[in-house]
Amino acid sequence: DAGITQSPRYKITETGRQVTLMCHQTWSHSYMFWYRQDLGHGLRLIYYSAAADITDKGEVPDGYVVSRSKTENFPLTLESATRSQTSVYFCASSLTGGNQPQHFGDGTRLSIL
Amino acid sequence: QQQVKQSPQSLIVQKGGIPIINCAYENTAFDYFPWYQQFPGKGPALLIAIRPDVSEKKEGRFTISFNKSAKQFSLHIMDSQPGDSATYFCAASKGAQKLVFGQGTRLTINP
């Protein structure tokens, strides 16, 4: 089915470990986004990408790395996980930038012990 | 400033009532104001959006009211139903720039 898929849906890891969250979209949308959702903070943008090989920081980029070698994939890596990175992570895509609908995946719930 | 402030954080309404969620923004350059709806275990989904050249937009039971001079916009849900229970996010952007989201409102509609 067409859409945007995230994997894994749930992940438990330990502090200091590297973990990668995957995001794949089938619409050939130019823009892709990574958000984290925490109670009281809403959705905060981590990184976004306007096209393959073009990425830029959002509001809370520290501790995260992204890449976009192909239009359809936008993985998010926590190089050395910390407990403060325990959150629900959402990937989204849109045809163009901010004034177009963003289509979200169902999220990855990440717990760091 | 890029902030969008949303209130209330949570809201409980009886079935048939009209919940109202408010958002205020600071950047007068914002020109796109969407609302997203999120059910538990799912990602947010676009519900309705408005641009600042109109003061009101209706889609079914959902209405956005926009007050440009006050830099505020709100979501009204007419004849609310238990199935409307969800978290609602307002957002704003300028042109093709990235969306800035409010903090979210958890809405519960009691039967």
Side-chain angles (χ1 to χ4, degrees):
Chain A
D1 287 338
I4 184 164
T5 55
Q6 294 184 236
S7 62
R9 289 297 312 276
Y10 305 91
K11 177 76 176 178
I12 300 174
T13 190
E14 297 176 339
T15 56
R17 299 262 188 175
Q18 181 180 81
V19 59
T20 296
L21 309 184
M22 305 301 293
C23 180
H24 175 80
Q25 54 106 353
T26 60
W27 290 301
S28 298
H29 284 169
S30 294
Y31 278 74
M32 295 188 74
F33 308 84
W34 274 107
Y35 295 90
R36 59 178 290 172
Q37 183 175 13
D38 304 286
L39 196 62
H41 292 278
L43 292 159
R44 291 183 291 176
L45 183 65
I46 304 170
Y47 269 96
Y48 67 103
S49 168
D53 297 322
I54 300 175
T55 62
D56 205 350
K57 296 179 180 179
E59 181 184 356
V60 289
D62 293 344
Y64 302 95
V65 175
V66 293
S67 62
R68 194 158 176 217
S69 57
K70 293 183 178 181
T71 299
E72 61 267 31
N73 296 323
F74 191 39
L76 175 74
T77 297
L78 289 67
E79 293 191 304
S80 179
T82 65
R83 288 182 181 165
S84 65
Q85 293 176 310
T86 292
S87 186
V88 181
Y89 290 85
F90 287 98
C91 177
S93 71
S94 70
L95 190 60
T96 59
N99 59 4
Q100 293 294 319
Q102 290 190 16
H103 303 270
F104 285 78
D106 285 337
T108 294
R109 183 174 293 274
L110 178 63
S111 296
I112 300 166
L113 306 178
Chain B
Q1 292 294 323
Q2 296 292 316
Q3 284 188 323
V4 176
K5 295 183 179 179
Q6 183 173 347
S7 63
Q9 280 193 325
S10 63
L11 184 59
I12 301 174
V13 173
Q14 291 298 118
K15 177 183 174 182
I18 305 176
I20 301 173
I21 305 171
N22 300 298
C23 284
Y25 62 97
E26 299 172 0
N27 187 345
T28 55
F30 285 149
D31 60 3
Y32 176 68
F33 302 89
W35 285 88
Y36 282 77
Q37 180 188 54
Q38 182 185 30
F39 293 107
K42 296 293 186 180
L46 179 66
L47 183 63
I48 185 173
I50 196 168
R51 298 187 188 274
D53 52 345
V54 296
S55 60
E56 186 176 277
K57 182 175 181 179
K58 292 183 179 180
E59 286 189 6
R61 294 183 295 106
F62 299 91
T63 299
I64 299 179
S65 297
F66 185 81
N67 186 330
K68 189 173 182 178
S69 61
K71 294 187 288 185
Q72 295 177 348
F73 59 109
S74 60
L75 177 70
H76 302 231
I77 306 176
M78 307 302 290
D79 188 27
S80 59
Q81 301 296 314
D84 298 327
S85 297
T87 299
Y88 292 81
F89 293 97
C90 63
S93 71
K94 171 189 173 184
Q97 293 182 11
K98 50 193 181 291
L99 279 172
V100 178
F101 283 88
Q103 295 86 349
T105 297
R106 180 173 292 185
L107 174 65
T108 302
I109 308 297
N110 286 330

